Amino acid sequence: DGGLGAIDEGYLADVFTGGSHDQWAIGDFKDMYPAGVYRSCFYRPGVDPDVVMGVGIYGQMLYVDRPRGVVIAKQSSWEQPDESVDHDDAYRMCQALARSLG
């Protein structure tokens, strides 16, 4: 809803439309999200349109699916940082929830 005044609309537009596919294609996570983009601390996996997520190294995740009107905040306290398989599972869980709710 454009941030409802709590978040700058320009920042939101940048998160959802900025970034470079060319830069992503030469980065470390290109195989994880082949159509992905990273911008302003958020990942756009490029699978579902208008979906972004913020990912913390200890398992935290903020998943925003604008077309479906779904926001998921996942708190976490992993003892060890960044196990990609765990991030993948969390992403798939959020994606499945958003698809079933929206």
Side-chain angles (χ1 to χ4, degrees):
D1 292 333
L4 297 175
I7 300 173
D8 180 72
E9 287 186 46
Y11 174 78
L12 288 177
D14 185 58
V15 166
F16 280 93
T17 62
S20 167
H21 289 284
D22 293 338
Q23 287 294 314
W24 183 265
I26 61 172
D28 294 339
F29 300 112
K30 65 183 178 287
D31 295 329
M32 185 182 301
Y33 307 117
V37 173
Y38 182 80
R39 183 67 172 182
S40 299
C41 300
F42 282 88
Y43 295 91
R44 282 196 334 260
V47 176
D48 292 321
D50 275 347
V51 169
V52 298
M53 61 186 180
V55 180
I57 66 169
Y58 289 97
Q60 312 88 328
M61 182 176 285
L62 179 64
Y63 184 93
V64 180
D65 186 324
R66 286 200 313 185
R68 294 180 175 98
V70 176
V71 176
I72 300 169
K74 177 185 171 284
Q75 297 181 351
S76 181
S77 58
W78 295 348
E79 290 185 24
Q80 299 297 316
D82 271 344
E83 290 295 325
S84 64
V85 68
D86 294 325
H87 284 300
D88 293 345
D89 286 347
Y91 166 64
R92 285 191 297 275
M93 175 200 66
C94 289
Q95 185 182 53
L97 284 169
R99 288 176 175 180
S100 70
L101 292 170

